[in-house]
Amino acid sequence: MTDGPAIVAVLAGGRGRRLGGAKPTAALAGRPLICHALQAAAGAGLDAVVVAKASTGLPPLQVPVLVEPDEPRHPLCGLVTALRFAGEARRSAVVALACDMPFVTAPLLAWLAALEGAAMAQVGDRPQPLLARVPVAGLTQMEHALADGLALRDALTRLAPSILAEEVLERFGDPQRLCFNVNDLGDLRQADEWLGNTRG
């Protein structure tokens, strides 16, 4: 049996210290920050899950929430949890997406999900491991990488991913904005300004 389509895993297990609290519930353009990423997944026609710690503050959600282990505090922990879930659901891959990336678009996620193998975005010389496609077949390698304490970027490199450089991402919008992370209050203000200009 052929495995089903990729699912989007919105990773929400971080502490959000620089933002002053849980990122998923931070208000952006009148909605919780995490809802922007989930809206893109829904617009792409993809099933989505949220992966978070048991203690993570989340708004009411219409998608499954996977509870990752309390330790370690590492995005790779969330990715491994998502890959295990996807394997049990007989899905081919996980599209990993940070909960603080509100400008990722539905067409980009749909295209990324339809690729073969592993893939990771890159802006300039900076890999963007929180916008990546990870095949379920790579689960064991990701488990080993987590045990080895590797950074997410280095873990994904073990899968020899296709690198989605700016000239590829430009088909879907401004690469800098597509991969923009809301890490602190300044970023939140910037994102709100951009969204306000879009609405205007």
Side-chain angles (χ1 to χ4, degrees), residues 3-200:
D3 286 344
I7 62 169
V8 175
V10 179
L11 304 181
R15 288 191 175 94
R17 285 175 173 167
R18 285 186 286 168
L19 197 57
K23 284 187 180 184
T25 58
L28 175 61
R31 292 188 295 155
L33 179 57
I34 196 172
C35 291
H36 295 269
L38 289 170
Q39 181 181 25
L46 298 170
D47 292 332
V49 297
V50 168
V51 190
K53 303 292 187 189
S55 60
T56 302
L58 296 172
L61 298 171
Q62 302 300 313
V63 301
V65 176
L66 308 181
V67 178
E68 64 181 88
D70 287 339
E71 296 295 336
R73 288 272 179 178
H74 194 308
L76 190 50
C77 186
L79 177 59
V80 166
T81 299
L83 286 168
R84 289 171 179 164
F85 173 85
E88 291 168 2
R90 298 193 61 79
R91 299 302 188 96
S92 59
V94 164
V95 174
L97 176 62
C99 75
D100 64 355
M101 295 176 69
F103 299 106
V104 169
T105 66
L108 173 54
L109 289 181
W111 176 80
L112 188 55
L115 294 177
E116 296 292 332
M120 178 169 55
Q122 180 168 301
V123 176
D125 60 356
R126 300 189 310 277
Q128 304 291 322
L130 289 172
L131 180 57
R133 183 185 193 276
V134 186
V136 168
L139 171 59
T140 299
Q141 287 172 280
M142 295 301 95
E143 290 173 330
H144 290 163
L146 180 61
D148 292 342
L150 292 188
L152 180 58
R153 175 192 62 200
D154 296 333
L156 293 180
T157 299
R158 289 187 171 184
L159 301 179
S162 300
I163 299 301
L164 311 177
E166 289 189 54
E167 56 267 27
V168 175
L169 298 175
E170 282 171 352
R171 289 186 252 164
F172 304 98
D174 177 356
Q176 296 280 351
R177 192 170 296 193
L178 290 169
C179 295
F180 182 80
N181 294 92
V182 176
N183 289 314
D184 56 32
L185 292 175
D187 293 338
L188 192 63
R189 287 191 292 270
Q190 178 65 80
D192 196 63
E193 179 181 331
W194 281 339
L195 285 169
N197 289 339
T198 300
R199 292 193 300 272

